[in-house]
Amino acid sequence: MSASALHRYWHENGAGPSARGKAPFALVTGSTGGMGEEWALQLAALGFNVIIQGRNKGKLETVRSQIHKLAPDADVRLLVTEATVYPNPALTEGLAKLLDEPDVRLTVVISNLGVNELSYPKLDEQSSESVAGIVLANAFYPAEVARICLPHLKRHEPSLLVTVTSIGCWAPPPYLSPYCGTKGFDVSFSRSLHNEMICEKRQVDIVCMVPGQVSSNMCLEPVSRMVPTSADWVKAGIASLRSTWWTPRPGAVVVPWGPHAWGMFFIAWAPAFMVNAIARSKVVTMRDEYLAANAKDK
Ligand SMILES: NC(=O)c1ccc[n+]([C@@H]2O[C@H](COP(=O)([O-])OP(=O)(O)OC[C@H]3O[C@@H](n4cnc5c(N)ncnc54)[C@H](OP(=O)(O)O)[C@@H]3O)[C@@H](O)[C@H]2O)c1
């Protein structure tokens, strides 16, 4: 394995003789596109075996072959689950079964999956099913992934659970209320669990990672300093997990991409009316463009 901020989680600790001597596993949710696909590719290139999750088996098979081009020896296992349903036996039973395999030693979880309504609808024009889907996928799903993975992460510590939130929950724009609300859940959930691991004297590092806009299927903005490619953002995400001289544990909330970190600094110190006005104007413009493009298509 090449030198990386992830060396803390690439070790041979763990129960079971069959687990010894074999590379640890990383689980990546939402790995059939955007940042999730990049997490899977970059973790495999760094020497991890990977469990990739998606709702479409064909897309997962394509990601598996891309991983094998980069890392021919990687053990790649698939978890096919839809995220917007409850109850969700494909997740609860499917994931538990994968993690119980004697040769799976889980040390990294990247809870990346996120769902958004791309048409910027008014809240009272959204269906109950659509709101439920966003809450289930962005809040309940990462909480369930954490609950199911935690015993395994404790058994194979030091280990890592990253949950991906959004800068939008610090400067919530209009027409995205269920999405921003659930991303706020991810922040408080992670911070509480981070503190729980410290109280329990566990070496399970809990990190909430904050992207601003990143080029992907969810964000079609042109690439720029403020809108990195998914590959560049994930590279920065991995580097941000590096330990510091005062602690081996990464922080509870990290903003890996420099220009996004400046944005967070501005949000923290600028007057709220200014932050809200900027959040409104940016998304109103994006919504107008979306509505105009869709009207043209009809
Ligand atoms: N991109 C941004 O600007 C941005 C900004 C802030 C935060 N984020 C957060 O970053 C994370 C990654 O976002 P991204 O931009 O990389 O997203 P993306 O390109 O849209 O990819 C989302 C992934 O989630 C999967 N997915 C979507 N709906 C699903 C469902 N109902 N059930 C199961 N899987 C589902 C997708 O599968 P399919 O391929 O089958 O659709 C895909 O693998 C998300 O948590 C997002 O909220 C993104």
Side-chain angles (χ1 to χ4, degrees), residues 30-36 53-56 59 81-84 112-115 137 164-167 179 183 211-219 230:
S31 57
T32 52
M35 293 180 249
Q53 178 278 337
R55 58 182 161 173
N56 180 316
K59 283 191 185 180
T81 63
E82 167 59 52
T84 57
N112 156 84
L113 189 150
V115 173
V164 180
T165 180
S166 167
I167 206 167
Y179 178 77
K183 289 294 171 179
Q213 286 186 305
V214 177
S215 177
S216 72
N217 295 332
M218 194 183 276
C219 167
S230 288

